[in-house]
Amino acid sequence: SEAINALLPGRKIDVLPVIGSTNQHLLDKIGQLSSGDACVAEYQYAGRGRRGRQWVSPFGRNLYLSLYWRLEQGPAAAIGLSLVVGIVLAETLHELGATGVKVKWPNDLYLEDKKLAGILVELQGKTGDAAHVIIGIGINLTMENTSTDQIGQQWINLEQSGIRIDRNTLAAAFINHLIDALHLFEKSGLTPFIERWYAFDNYLNREVKLIIGEREVVGVSRGINGQGALLLDQFGEVTPYIGGEISLRGI
Ligand code: BTN
């Protein structure tokens, strides 16, 4: 609700009752935005997930939030940025009492081995120019009656695991932490975040399967490197896998 603006004096957060997608809303306004401008919605009728999937967005029960950032160094500098967003969201949730929350490479949040939140980073801008970055997050708070089929995977909300966090408090804390992290990321890249990733990695030292198009690779996850690639250990030989079209499953 509008209460979020009271929690973030000096910031501009658009509160939208209904919108197609909060990411699209910001994409449509890129010329008018400054870094840190954000919007939240109660309901999205065309919520977007990664890889062209939909993001199921029932009214009033979850958090749908997007934030704009102008990345002076250009689109190439955005590599690893979505991992930073995941780390910051996990840290914020921990701070507010959701201590079981984990990150799943490259950009999901998991709780009890089920999907709790998703991150969609969309970029505009050509090489040589500043990049316009739209960071979108969707977190299941009290969503119910939505089938696994509709979501396409096992999901959970915070309430099911006994955690109640006020939406505005969560949104405000996340925005503050995210802006701090984006400044640090611009200055120092992914390096200062690697240890923070390890603290929340759901699959660290667990056996996983990577699905790369038609191909499947099995190994033990050893976290990430400085490019945000997943480190996969196969009988002692560690290979980095760069994100994009790869999906990770626990086995
Ligand atoms: C995924 O896991 O596939 C990413 C989901 C991202 C969903 C959020 S909800 C707010 C923002 N607006 C959108 O349309 N998508 C993101």
Side-chain angles (χ1 to χ4, degrees):
S1 75
E2 289 295 339
I4 184 167
N5 277 297
L7 293 172
L8 292 168
R11 301 225 147 269
K12 228 178 70 206
I13 319 293
D14 263 347
V15 178
L16 312 158
V18 176
I19 194 80
S21 148
T22 54
N23 268 29
Q24 188 59 48
H25 179 73
L26 293 187
L27 281 164
D28 289 342
K29 301 204 318 178
I30 273 180
Q32 304 141 248
L33 298 173
S34 332
S35 289
D37 287 352
C39 69
V40 290
E42 289 285 354
Y43 171 71
Q44 298 184 119
Y45 54 85
R48 288 211 286 266
R50 290 171 65 222
R51 302 165 198 221
R53 285 187 294 238
Q54 66 153 345
W55 185 256
V56 176
S57 307
F59 187 89
R61 304 197 138 263
N62 293 333
L63 178 62
Y64 317 112
L65 180 154
S66 298
L67 180 136
Y68 169 80
W69 196 260
R70 181 185 159 99
L71 199 59
E72 291 303 331
Q73 297 116 310
I79 294 172
L81 192 144
S82 66
L83 280 76
V84 169
V85 178
I87 294 163
V88 170
L89 189 53
E91 289 175 347
T92 306
L93 285 160
H94 275 243
E95 182 185 291
L96 296 173
T99 51
V101 173
K102 305 277 188 182
V103 289
K104 171 180 178 275
W105 184 89
N107 38 22
D108 289 336
L109 264 71
Y110 263 43
L111 182 59
E112 298 172 16
D113 275 345
K114 296 179 193 124
K115 181 150 172 171
L116 175 73
I119 296 160
L120 179 67
V121 174
E122 298 187 83
L123 280 182
Q124 254 184 30
K126 37 184 197 308
T127 317
D129 286 346
H132 303 285
V133 184
I134 311 287
I135 296 163
I137 59 144
I139 313 175
N140 303 331
L141 298 180
T142 63
M143 174 165 75
E144 54 192 8
N145 301 327
T146 308
S147 72
T148 305
D149 281 1
Q150 209 179 335
I151 307 277
Q153 57 185 307
Q154 293 266 316
W155 62 274
I156 191 166
N157 67 35
L158 278 185
E159 192 180 48
Q160 278 167 309
S161 99
I163 303 158
R164 275 190 173 277
I165 296 180
D166 173 68
R167 256 196 319 174
N168 292 306
T169 306
L170 172 58
F174 173 67
I175 287 172
N176 281 331
H177 292 328
L178 181 60
I179 290 172
D180 289 347
L182 288 166
H183 285 297
L184 178 61
F185 179 73
E186 281 184 318
K187 195 164 67 119
S188 315
L190 195 58
T191 312
F193 295 95
I194 295 179
E195 271 189 42
R196 290 162 67 176
W197 173 274
Y198 277 80
F200 300 106
D201 187 345
N202 195 48
Y203 288 102
L204 187 64
N205 300 326
R206 286 172 67 180
E207 217 180 333
V208 299
K209 177 164 80 180
L210 299 184
I211 304 166
I212 312 162
E214 307 277 271
R215 210 155 63 90
E216 286 190 5
V217 199
V218 171
V220 176
S221 166
R222 300 289 186 210
I224 58 166
N225 71 9
Q227 277 70 53
L230 181 88
L231 297 172
L232 191 73
D233 183 341
Q234 295 176 291
F235 309 106
E237 196 182 317
V238 178
T239 312
Y241 283 86
I242 303 280
E245 296 311 303
I246 308 176
S247 67
L248 180 149
R249 307 275 164 82
I251 47 178

